[in-house]
Amino acid sequence: MIALLARSAYQIRFALIATVLVLGGLQVLIIAQAVEIQRASSFSSMANLLPGFLQRGLGSKALILATFKGTVSFGYFHPIVCMTIAVMAMYPATEIAHEVEAGLVDLELARAVPRHRLVTRSLLLAHLTAALVLLVMAAGTVIGVRLFDAAQLDVPAADLRARLLFNQFAVTSCFTGFALLVASRSRRWSTAFTIAALTAVVLYNVDFIALGWRPMEVIAWLSPFHYFPALSVIAGDAETPRNVTILFIASAVLSAAAYWQFQRRDL
């Protein structure tokens, strides 16, 4: 297992390093931007820049985004951040499809390696990858606060940041299970990765559109992002234990289906 993990981690090293640098650096830049807005006393005018449908959909919680705490927290649930973390985790999660396509699975299973070990390797590495990225994002916030002397401002408390990151991890875990299930049925890596990534994009948009278009709420519950109400987490009225439980149960069911599918398929 260690050898499989090490080989897969080596293969994704460049994508992982780039993701860590971009998302960690983004948190530092967001702190710098928030400090500058605070010094210019411009947060009050930011509220007027929010789209009307967001103000109607989110109500008074939309105003959280026009505060120092809300702006810094936004770095943890910005659409690009959510998509990048999910797609980064899907990369190792879909590796089994690449191994089938390249014929590597024949060499691996020629030894006394159980099939489920390949799935476990991908599942474990995807979660480790997501955890590493989220930890670097948290470190980016700490570095930004120190670099720009923002400790005296309304920086999100450590426990709030931890709840946001943990909820984000649960969302990523759910998408990891889905990507693993798709990969367990695919013979081409590009097909598995594209399906998984596009599904994440579509489901994000479904949840976002539901904010301003009530009929979309009928299917919004299908989106993992529906269970990451970041502004409610910041406001302190989110049902975080319930939401992360739903996400992890969905991840477990999808992962179990992936194990079953890969075990029975004709390779």
Side-chain angles (χ1 to χ4, degrees):
M1 176 61 78
I2 298 299
L4 286 171
L5 275 173
R7 190 200 67 183
S8 299
Y10 183 76
Q11 289 179 335
I12 67 169
R13 64 192 186 285
F14 292 122
L16 180 57
I17 291 172
T19 302
V20 161
L21 290 176
V22 168
L23 295 189
L26 178 63
Q27 306 311 313
V28 177
L29 292 176
I30 285 177
I31 295 285
Q33 181 190 39
V35 169
E36 189 59 32
I37 295 173
Q38 180 72 29
R39 286 173 179 165
S41 302
S42 299
F43 276 116
S44 57
S45 59
M46 280 183 62
N48 299 325
L49 301 178
L50 294 174
F53 79 95
L54 271 183
Q55 296 189 35
R56 291 191 297 273
L58 297 174
S60 60
K61 289 177 184 173
L63 299 178
I64 294 176
L65 293 171
T67 63
F68 186 89
K69 182 167 71 174
T71 300
V72 174
S73 300
F74 190 44
Y76 291 173
F77 59 92
H78 189 284
I80 294 177
V81 172
C82 294
M83 284 296 107
T84 303
I85 298 172
V87 170
M88 183 63 241
M90 289 173 182
Y91 188 14
T94 53
E95 187 181 2
I96 53 176
H98 164 68
E99 291 170 330
V100 171
E101 182 180 8
L104 292 174
V105 71
D106 296 331
L107 297 175
E108 292 166 336
L109 297 182
R111 300 184 177 184
V113 178
R115 284 193 184 192
H116 64 77
R117 193 164 296 178
L118 302 182
V119 181
T120 301
R121 177 277 323 271
S122 295
L123 185 64
L124 186 58
L125 186 58
H127 282 82
L128 288 175
T129 298
L132 176 62
V133 173
L134 292 170
L135 286 174
V136 172
M137 287 170 56
T141 298
V142 174
I143 292 171
V145 168
R146 293 190 177 184
L147 276 179
F148 299 101
D149 195 23
Q152 76 282 6
L153 301 176
D154 188 20
V155 179
D159 62 331
L160 172 57
R161 283 178 274 158
R163 287 199 300 275
L164 289 169
L165 291 171
F166 186 60
N167 210 148
Q168 181 68 267
F169 180 77
V171 171
T172 305
S173 176
C174 190
F175 280 116
T176 295
F178 176 72
L180 198 64
L181 176 59
V182 174
S184 70
R185 301 173 56 88
S186 301
R187 289 196 172 275
R188 291 185 181 278
W189 176 79
S190 58
T191 302
F193 186 76
T194 302
I195 290 174
L198 286 181
T199 300
V201 173
V202 170
L203 290 179
Y204 186 92
N205 282 296
V206 166
D207 184 56
F208 184 74
I209 293 172
L211 291 175
W213 191 39
R214 295 301 180 189
M216 189 62 80
E217 290 183 350
V218 175
I219 60 171
W221 64 274
L222 292 171
S223 171
F225 296 107
H226 180 70
Y227 304 96
F228 183 26
L231 292 180
S232 294
V233 175
I234 298 172
D237 58 2
E239 298 179 350
T240 301
R242 169 185 172 275
N243 291 332
V244 297
T245 299
I246 291 173
L247 290 168
F248 282 130
I249 288 175
S251 175
V253 170
L254 291 168
S255 300
Y259 274 100
W260 179 77
Q261 174 60 35
F262 193 69
Q263 189 69 29
R264 66 186 292 272
R265 73 179 292 186
D266 181 11
L267 296 173

